[in-house]
Amino acid sequence: MLSLAKQNEIKDEILKERLDTVLPPLMLECGIDAWIVACREYNEDPLFHALTPSRFMTARRTTILVLAMKNGKAERYCINMHDDELEKYYVQDYHAQTETQMEALTRVLKSLDPQKIAINISDHYAYTDGLSVGLYRQLMKELPKELTDRFVSSDDIGIRFLETRSSKELEIYPEVMKIALDIIESTFSKERIIPGKTTCRDLMDYMEQRVNDLGIVTWFESTIDLQRKDGMHGDDCVIERGDLLHCDFGIRYLNLCTDTQRLCYISKEDETELPAELVNAVERNHRFQDIVRSNMKTGISGNDVFVHSIEMAKKEGLRPILYTHPLGFHGHAAGPTIGLFSNQHPIPVKGDLKLHNDTAYALELSIIEYLECYQRDTYIFTEESVVLKDNKVSFLASERKSIYMI
């Protein structure tokens, strides 16, 4: 693990790269001339930390950022009290002794004369709905109508900025993934699992403690459950020989999230290899992964990927469930939704978003297989963190090892 100072250094290098090279072309693509991100201390906008340096941990009283395009060039301002860290990335343009923040914002916007001004209000997306009601009312009251009439939702620019990974992020993402896999592998080990004694909760507690000891965080509660003849169990269930364990685990490190599911078979006393039917089921699951990957192309909507993938899988005799989602600064990140576990149909609005290059996804899916060893339908859960680049989906992990054996 990198030192905290080195982590902050890398995160800030990435921030500069994203502001300098990722944001400007996206603003042109989305037709946004200026973007206002305003929030109050301890009620930060979901986009706040994606736009500010690592040591600028909260808004200072009220922080207002303005990101703008003028004559084809990108400009960035902070309407904020003086702060050395923030001013490495934004031009401070607020004179507290002679003007209010809203007066300063008005002055800056008039000098830029943007025709479309994005603010973070949204009917559909949490990421771009971070402008509080109080600040919205203040903007509408204190800015001239000639500017407020130009307000539009930041849905397009906010989602495109959050979902797009910079070259530096794509470079380090496999290292983030390796840390997550190391923790999973140390969990699914004979040192950690003692049949007849270890519980699912023991393994979940171990994973959470391991993450804490490394100084990183999980973005959702680590999950361990198991399947056996009498169904699916979790929490305080004691692990026995012949069980099929399943983990769902995701970390956040260097501002990048992973999301991974793996299986682990606990062998019976006389077994030295995985049951053949289980091996076959995992291979069929891999086939479904490849079907989905083949349909993930730029310019295609999440709903189209879902429909085509399900149709292809069923034609090959699979019983598929698809619930792939974007991955990046957040775990359930901005971008197109490709099915939901609880809703195996095209998803309105979020599923209509199109796929783009330089984006990451949790290739989350499963198939249902009847396994004789359990005498029941069994879920074959898998989830891989992947990147869509140059219209090709590749794995962040060095190998696709979906199942372990103890």
Side-chain angles (χ1 to χ4, degrees), residues 172-198:
I172 66 172
Y173 222 151
E175 293 300 314
V176 181
M177 184 67 195
K178 186 177 184 302
I179 294 169
L181 288 177
D182 284 347
I183 296 171
I184 291 174
E185 289 177 2
S186 68
T187 304
F188 283 163
S189 66
K190 62 182 181 181
E191 291 79 17
R192 192 61 47 198
I193 299 174
I194 302 174
K197 180 178 179 181
T198 305

Side-chain angles (χ1 to χ4, degrees), residues 196-394:
K197 180 178 179 181
T198 305
T199 67
C200 293
R201 173 56 60 184
D202 290 336
L203 297 185
M204 287 188 274
D205 289 344
Y206 168 78
M207 297 180 93
E208 296 286 349
Q209 187 63 53
R210 185 79 180 115
V211 166
N212 184 75
D213 292 346
L214 290 172
I216 55 179
V217 296
T218 54
W219 61 270
F220 66 96
E221 182 185 15
S222 305
T223 301
I224 301 282
D225 52 46
L226 61 83
Q227 296 178 85
R228 54 173 64 140
K229 285 185 178 181
D230 63 353
M232 185 176 292
H233 304 274
D235 290 333
D236 295 327
C237 181
V238 176
I239 298 167
E240 302 288 354
R241 292 187 177 276
D243 287 346
L244 180 63
L245 273 65
H246 158 250
C247 79
D248 192 356
F249 178 65
I251 64 170
R252 191 167 191 266
Y253 179 56
L254 299 176
N255 284 343
L256 293 170
C257 292
T258 67
D259 198 356
T260 310
Q261 294 185 43
R262 290 288 188 272
L263 299 171
C264 180
Y265 178 71
I266 311 301
S267 68
K268 298 177 182 177
E269 292 285 0
D270 57 345
E271 289 179 317
T272 58
E273 297 179 348
L274 285 166
E277 62 174 348
L278 187 53
V279 172
N280 181 62
V282 170
E283 289 177 350
R284 283 163 63 79
N285 179 282
H286 285 174
R287 172 57 189 153
F288 185 35
Q289 287 181 342
D290 291 340
I291 288 172
V292 179
R293 291 168 63 210
S294 72
N295 285 304
M296 293 177 67
K297 302 294 183 183
T298 58
I300 303 298
S301 74
N303 284 334
D304 284 341
V305 174
F306 173 82
V307 170
H308 296 158
S309 298
I310 293 294
E311 287 178 350
M312 290 175 64
K314 287 182 176 179
K315 285 181 179 178
E316 295 190 18
L318 301 175
R319 288 191 282 166
I321 305 175
L322 178 56
Y323 38 106
T324 287
H325 59 84
L327 198 62
F329 194 83
H330 301 97
H332 291 149
T337 296
I338 307 175
L340 295 171
F341 184 79
S342 58
N343 185 0
Q344 288 294 286
H345 297 91
I347 306 302
V349 183
K350 294 180 181 179
D352 293 327
L353 293 174
K354 291 181 169 52
L355 279 70
H356 295 90
N357 273 319
D358 299 328
T359 53
Y361 288 85
L363 184 63
E364 187 173 7
L365 50 82
S366 57
I367 62 169
I368 299 173
E369 292 273 290
Y370 181 86
L371 298 184
E372 189 60 40
C373 60
Y374 299 121
Q375 297 179 356
R376 64 188 298 273
D377 280 345
T378 305
Y379 284 94
I380 307 300
F381 296 107
T382 60
E383 186 172 18
E384 295 282 351
S385 298
V386 299
V387 167
L388 174 58
K389 183 176 177 61
D390 298 328
N391 222 23
K392 179 182 178 181
V393 176
S394 58

